[in-house]
Amino acid sequence: MLGGSATRKKHRRVSYVLREEEGRHRSGINSLALNRRGELLFSAGRDATARCWSTGNPRVKCERSFDAHTDWVNDCVLLGDEATLVTCSSDTTIKLWNVVHQKCLATLTEHTDYVKALAYASDRGMLASAALDREVLLWDVEAQQSVSAMPSRGGEGNVSFIKASGHQDSIYCLATNASGS
């Protein structure tokens, strides 16, 4: 058209990506834990999730996802009954999960920096956590509270405590045996 005003419609394109529930981590994996029978594998991921995998068939399948952390999940351990999974995260928390129902049972918040490692002494029912805050905290997982000390080898009813502190640098790894000794 000459001399007239030509209006052009501007087209906008909008795209949506709809994903099905992913049966995998969306980023790297930091830690693995296997149950005693070897049929369930738990993974701690950099996508802020922990996942449970069934290893009972040739095509390993993600059975459950544990989604309540807000930053990397750095480590995971199964408690002695294997009905409770414990995860720790860069969001500075430790979470206890019901494995079957995928429900967060408790959130432990004593650390002040990234929680990097967990270790479980099954004979004592004690969980140790280590963080970049240079603290090792011991937890009575039944009471869901920090005891921040280790019982001595004294007799029953006569328990003394030793504080687990004094690290000069961040702590990245923990290990224990079943008795916690």
Side-chain angles (χ1 to χ4, degrees), residues 18-50:
L18 302 175
R19 285 189 214 170
E20 294 179 29
E21 172 62 28
E22 292 185 30
R24 62 185 180 91
H25 284 285
R26 294 177 302 277
S27 193
I29 296 171
N30 290 329
S31 179
L32 298 171
L34 190 63
N35 75 342
R36 281 189 287 269
R37 291 182 299 224
E39 62 194 18
L40 296 176
L41 177 70
F42 295 86
S43 56
R46 293 180 181 176
D47 58 359
T49 68

Side-chain angles (χ1 to χ4, degrees), residues 31-101:
S31 179
L32 298 171
L34 190 63
N35 75 342
R36 281 189 287 269
R37 291 182 299 224
E39 62 194 18
L40 296 176
L41 177 70
F42 295 86
S43 56
R46 293 180 181 176
D47 58 359
T49 68
R51 296 188 185 268
C52 175
W53 308 85
S54 171
T55 61
N57 61 43
R59 296 182 66 98
V60 175
K61 181 181 170 194
C62 180
E63 296 281 326
R64 300 172 198 114
S65 182
F66 305 90
D67 305 318
H69 286 291
T70 59
D71 207 337
W72 289 12
V73 180
N74 295 314
D75 202 0
C76 60
V77 297
L78 278 170
L79 298 188
D81 61 1
E82 295 193 344
T84 306
L85 175 71
V86 182
T87 57
C88 67
S89 171
S90 294
D91 66 10
T92 73
T93 67
I94 299 164
K95 293 189 181 288
L96 282 69
W97 302 89
N98 177 297
V99 170
V100 174
H101 301 291

Side-chain angles (χ1 to χ4, degrees), residues 7 40 56 59 82 98 124 136 146 181:
T7 58
L40 296 176
R59 296 182 66 98
E82 295 193 344
N98 177 297
R124 289 192 181 186
V136 173
S146 172
S181 62

Side-chain angles (χ1 to χ4, degrees), residues 152-170:
S152 71
R153 294 188 178 102
E156 294 223 0
N158 183 17
V159 178
S160 61
F161 293 93
I162 302 166
K163 190 166 182 170
S165 64
H167 293 277
Q168 300 300 313
D169 291 309
S170 299

Side-chain angles (χ1 to χ4, degrees), residues 130-167:
L132 300 188
D133 61 8
R134 298 179 298 191
E135 294 284 336
V136 173
L137 297 178
L138 297 177
W139 301 88
D140 176 346
V141 289
E142 296 297 321
Q144 299 173 3
Q145 59 186 328
S146 172
V147 295
S148 70
M150 293 177 65
S152 71
R153 294 188 178 102
E156 294 223 0
N158 183 17
V159 178
S160 61
F161 293 93
I162 302 166
K163 190 166 182 170
S165 64
H167 293 277

